[in-house]
Amino acid sequence: MWCSRAISFPLLRWYWQKEKRQKYVNFMKDNYPSGFKYEDFGPLFTATFFNANQWADIFQASGAKYIVLTSKHHEGFTLWGSEYSWNWNAVDEGPKRDIVKELEVAIRNRTDLHFGLYYSLFEWFHPLFLEDESSSFHKRQFPVSKMLPELYELVNKYRPEVLWSDGDGGAPDHYWNSTGFLAWLYNDSPVRDTVVTNDRWGKGSICTHGGYYTCADRYNPGHLLPHKWENCMTIDKFSWGYRRDAGIGDYLTIEELVKQLVETVSCGGNFLMNIGPTLDGIISTIFEERLRQMGTWLKVNGEAIYETQPWRSQNDTITPDVWYTSKPKEKLVYAIFLKWPTSGKLFLGQPKATGGATEVELLGHGQPLKWISWEHNGIVVELPQLTVDQLPL
């Protein structure tokens, strides 16, 4: 399975006000008035052109099966009118709109995607969190008065089927009361029968506890894991948010994205592909193009991705850039080759084929292909001679 994540990270504040990186300090000094504060960005976030229906249509066209919207990141601004983030949310400030609700409605009314939400547990500069941190987290003012009430509100109001937790701030799970919240989520919440969660619920829990593991950003181990996992990565090679100064070479090509998708699914993972919208609510052309290109590829090859399982071999030992998936009940094995061999013959070292019983087809072509056994194991498949217009996309 693969999905899309819409997110805009406010890392500027961390680099500018906390780490005081000179590049960011100079940028703010040269481009904003003296005395400009981070909070002054609030009114500049307008979402003027945000169209939830358009976003939903793009996500549907991408072939994604679920989306994850960042409802709140580490600086605390919520994309819904949180009762616990007074005057620092998208309803009171900036857009004056409930972005979460608009997208939730569009996704559920116009698509068959599952609706998910990202939520940061901690907030970089919240005074209660900073006070708790200074007490080595013996105090629990922030989770009790801010984080937990807000998270309950988010789940009850928008009923996400994926809850993507992040940002433990170095605090252990008992500080966040993660086990208590998750017990409610899985047993008593309105999404108890459908919700899925990740592994970022306190210091030390990542890649250890969770419905599925994320382990690290852009995690792609290249081998089979015993637990369900997700590769959360970015189309922009260097950023999770939108960058006005990004060059065309800063974005992964569709070939590079497909390669990561195939590697991830072959090793039992889900693929979470991040895009960074603009401050006025637009999915920029380069992101939309990549999403639609992925959807085009999946229209032909999705059978080898959706509802598949890892095979006994994840990749081929003879031919590079060949990855395997399978559907055991249907007795199907998919060999996804990322480079068309110039010889017209595809050498596969892993399959054990039987004459008269094994049939080989090319997805999008529809006709059986000729093959012969190769040495002790493996087969050689004769690929069809196709013009560029005839090639499956």
Side-chain angles (χ1 to χ4, degrees):
M1 181 182 288
W2 95 276
C3 75
S4 181
R5 177 178 178 186
I7 184 169
S8 181
F9 271 18
L11 286 174
L12 169 64
R13 186 176 192 182
W14 184 258
Y15 296 152
W16 166 37
Q17 295 184 324
K18 180 67 175 180
E19 295 187 350
K20 301 186 185 301
R21 296 188 187 185
Q22 202 59 46
K23 173 183 176 180
Y24 296 91
V25 172
N26 291 343
F27 179 84
M28 293 303 301
K29 181 179 179 181
D30 294 342
N31 293 278
Y32 291 90
S34 176
F36 188 92
K37 302 182 298 296
Y38 184 81
E39 289 74 18
D40 295 329
F41 279 116
L44 302 182
F45 169 44
T46 63
T48 302
F49 302 112
F50 172 65
N51 184 325
N53 289 340
Q54 184 182 53
W55 279 34
D57 292 346
I58 293 172
F59 295 147
Q60 179 79 5
S62 75
K65 294 300 182 181
Y66 63 101
I67 70 109
V68 179
L69 173 71
T70 298
S71 66
K72 186 198 80 168
H73 195 246
H74 304 332
E75 41 62 274
F77 189 91
T78 67
L79 291 188
W80 81 99
S82 170
E83 294 181 15
Y84 307 94
S85 188
W86 180 79
N87 218 34
W88 191 234
N89 64 74
V91 174
D92 294 334
E93 186 66 273
K96 304 294 178 70
R97 300 165 65 178
D98 188 335
I99 302 297
V100 176
K101 186 64 178 179
E102 290 184 36
L103 188 60
E104 179 218 356
V105 170
I107 291 295
R108 289 183 165 144
N109 288 348
R110 299 174 70 90
T111 78
D112 58 2
L113 279 72
H114 296 281
F115 181 70
L117 290 172
Y118 166 109
Y119 180 86
S120 172
L121 301 179
F122 89 130
E123 296 175 20
W124 280 323
F125 299 100
H126 198 291
L128 292 182
F129 177 78
L130 295 177
E131 188 174 338
D132 289 353
E133 184 181 38
S134 68
S135 74
S136 299
F137 301 114
H138 293 297
K139 292 182 178 179
R140 297 185 60 249
Q141 301 172 91
F142 179 75
V144 169
S145 63
K146 175 65 160 70
M147 165 263 175
L148 283 168
E150 196 164 69
L151 202 47
Y152 283 113
E153 177 189 56
L154 190 68
V155 172
N156 283 317
K157 195 169 185 178
Y158 303 106
R159 305 192 175 194
E161 293 180 276
V162 179
L163 187 58
W164 216 102
S165 176
D166 193 23
D168 59 49
D173 66 272
H174 59 80
Y175 167 79
W176 301 111
N177 191 26
S178 297
T179 54
F181 172 78
L182 289 170
W184 170 82
L185 185 71
Y186 282 117
N187 292 284
D188 300 312
S189 80
V191 293
R192 59 186 177 274
D193 296 325
T194 57
V195 72
V196 178
T197 62
N198 65 338
D199 57 349
R200 303 187 183 193
W201 292 96
K203 183 180 180 181
S205 71
I206 192 168
C207 216
T208 303
H209 302 288
Y212 62 90
Y213 295 166
T214 61
C215 297
D217 292 342
R218 302 181 178 89
Y219 183 69
N220 188 10
H223 59 83
L224 185 63
L225 297 183
H227 192 89
K228 190 64 181 178
W229 62 282
E230 180 185 73
N231 177 3
C232 179
M233 49 75 67
T234 60
I235 296 177
D236 184 328
K237 299 175 186 177
F238 307 106
S239 175
W240 295 86
Y242 174 75
R243 292 190 301 137
R244 290 180 294 172
D245 62 344
I248 191 64
D250 293 339
Y251 299 102
L252 294 174
T253 65
I254 186 56
E255 291 81 10
E256 291 170 324
L257 290 169
V258 166
K259 185 175 188 293
Q260 286 210 34
L261 167 67
V262 170
E263 291 173 351
T264 298
V265 174
S266 295
C267 295
N270 281 13
F271 192 59
L272 184 60
M273 191 165 77
N274 174 82
I275 60 170
T278 66
L279 60 84
D280 46 15
I282 293 173
I283 295 175
S284 62
T285 303
I286 188 70
F287 289 132
E288 180 177 351
E289 180 185 52
R290 292 293 182 270
L291 291 172
R292 292 187 181 278
Q293 286 173 325
M294 185 66 83
T296 298
W297 187 86
L298 284 165
K299 281 182 180 179
V300 175
N301 302 286
E303 181 184 330
I305 299 295
Y306 302 129
E307 300 180 358
T308 60
Q309 298 179 23
W311 195 43
R312 57 176 172 79
S313 297
Q314 278 62 69
N315 59 313
D316 199 71
T317 55
I318 302 298
T319 303
D321 289 321
V322 176
W323 294 83
Y324 293 102
T325 61
S326 69
K327 291 181 179 176
K329 290 183 180 180
E330 293 86 349
K331 296 182 179 180
L332 294 172
V333 175
Y334 300 93
I336 308 171
F337 57 103
L338 301 175
K339 295 179 181 178
W340 192 278
T342 55
S343 67
K345 298 183 186 299
L346 180 62
F347 291 77
L348 299 175
Q350 293 303 311
K352 297 177 181 178
T354 304
T358 300
E359 189 173 278
V360 180
E361 292 184 359
L362 178 67
L363 292 180
H365 179 59
Q367 300 298 319
L369 304 182
K370 295 179 180 179
W371 63 272
I372 59 172
S373 295
W374 184 45
E375 298 183 352
H376 299 292
N377 290 317
I379 61 175
V380 181
V381 180
E382 186 176 330
L383 297 175
Q385 295 183 350
L386 303 173
T387 65
V388 174
D389 292 335
Q390 293 173 321
L391 279 172
L393 295 175

